[in-house]
Amino acid sequence: MRTVFTWILRVVVALILLQTLFFKFTAAPESVEIFTQLGMEPYGRIATGILELVTAILLLVPRTCTYGALLGIGLMLGALGSHITKLGWEGPMLSLGVMAFVVLGCCVGVLVLKMKPTNNR
């Protein structure tokens, strides 16, 4: 059962991250605006997209999912820090912030479930 739940968490994170890649890699106006506010356009947007792609791939490969979860935690702490310091939580920023919390929670869940020893009785 724990394996199924871990897979669900991993797929949720991968779907959220892969969905946002379209906006980052196509220079969608919303994405460009966000990274301009952060002073990271275009290199930060592209680098973040690459790191999110790597995170999704690592999470979907069973042998590397722990590394993907760690990278996802780092990325989402950065995203949430950006919301706290510059982006705020108004309008579309609220939904992006909520997605960052979801990804962070799922990544922490993956780590906890992967690190907890199984009880083989």
Side-chain angles (χ1 to χ4, degrees):
M1 183 64 173
R2 190 167 82 188
T3 302
V4 172
F5 190 59
T6 302
W7 266 107
I8 290 169
L9 294 175
R10 291 161 54 191
V11 168
V12 166
V13 171
L15 288 174
I16 290 172
L17 293 180
L18 292 172
Q19 176 265 332
T20 64
L21 292 181
F22 172 80
F23 298 99
K24 287 182 180 76
F25 289 153
T26 61
E30 304 89 354
S31 207
V32 170
E33 180 182 336
I34 289 169
F35 283 91
T36 298
Q37 286 181 30
L38 297 173
M40 298 172 59
E41 176 61 31
Y43 302 109
R45 175 177 48 80
I46 295 166
T48 301
I50 291 169
L51 289 171
E52 289 177 355
L53 177 59
V54 169
T55 300
I57 292 168
L58 289 172
L59 278 165
L60 293 175
V61 176
R63 291 175 55 183
T64 61
C65 70
T66 302
Y67 300 112
L70 289 169
L71 185 54
I73 289 169
L75 285 167
M76 292 309 108
L77 288 175
L80 291 169
S82 296
H83 279 277
I84 291 167
T85 59
K86 292 194 178 189
L87 298 175
W89 302 92
E90 299 294 318
M93 292 303 128
L94 178 60
S95 62
L96 292 175
V98 168
M99 283 196 297
F101 272 117
V102 169
V103 170
L104 177 64
C106 289
C107 286
V108 168
V110 168
L111 276 185
V112 169
L113 291 170
K114 293 299 276 184
M115 295 176 112
K116 184 177 175 186
T118 57
N119 190 3
N120 294 328
R121 291 186 188 198

